[in-house]
Amino acid sequence: MIGKQDEAALFAQYRYFLKDSIRQEIDFSRTPQARAYPPPPPEKPVSPGAKLVDLPPPGAWQGIRPIDVESAIRRRQSRRSYSRQPLSLDELSFLLWATQGVRARIDAVTTLRTVPSAGARHALETYLVVFRVAGLEGGVYRYLPIEHQLVFEFHEPDLRRRVIEATLGQRFVAEAAVVFVWTTIPYRMEWRYHLAAHKAIALDAGHVCQNLYLACEAIDAGTCAVAAYHQQKMDELIRVDGQDEFVIYLAPVGKRAE
């Protein structure tokens, strides 16, 4: 049982993360960037021989209806009930572009995307747990934003059960057509911002998920942001090391149930 004084101290310790006081304590002349260390790549490499899936390019999507910003914002809400209808590959391509799509490439390591990121560092990777997407076999994929492609990572025969376990029994997550799982590679942000990186990564995740909510309104789909999960089980499910890359956020997406 934590006493009131200990609880107050604990709250103060964790609230510190929400402040920008850390910036006054960092010697920015000693960051990896300032010391001319090479920057990390903007996306994870692809293994030789990996299966790649070309996505319909921006502007060529079929079945994506126009929707004004005000309507999308008014209708946006968390939805936990999904129909059995699959998403089309065009719809999935649109959602991926809306959340991490590249609008311009400044240099070998800097991209401008459809979401903001501190210093254009974009320290997130997008994984997809695919259950019902037309033209895709079930399994785990990773989005390549620069190429606008998917790379097939692996097939897991007991994927639904493992998703439910990793999300602490939230069964609705595994009833979606696809689950967006965002990991972070912290060093992409740490390279420039040192200890000030971590709050920025959390803010970036919020930008990405809000774009997913709004984009879902254009395809009659729903989503629900999920920040409660078993860290180790989710990292193991996506097959990341949990140290240099780990899950930070996820959101199931499916066609809205009537």
Side-chain angles (χ1 to χ4, degrees), residues 91-110:
E91 290 170 331
L92 182 62
S93 173
F94 169 66
L95 295 180
L96 288 165
W97 173 83
T99 53
Q100 279 289 277
V102 173
R103 296 187 294 111
R105 193 164 186 183
I106 304 303
D107 53 41
V109 296
T110 309

Side-chain angles (χ1 to χ4, degrees), residues 11-22:
F11 283 164
Q13 175 187 343
Y14 279 82
R15 287 173 183 172
Y16 185 78
F17 172 79
L18 296 173
K19 302 179 180 181
D20 207 31
S21 306
I22 191 71

Side-chain angles (χ1 to χ4, degrees), residues 167-179:
T167 55
L168 306 175
Q170 298 180 82
R171 301 188 66 86
F172 78 92
V173 178
E175 294 170 359
V178 60
V179 184

Side-chain angles (χ1 to χ4, degrees), residues 40-62:
E43 67 181 20
K44 288 177 65 175
V46 175
S47 301
K51 177 183 176 182
L52 297 175
V53 178
D54 292 326
L55 293 167
W61 297 304
Q62 301 294 315

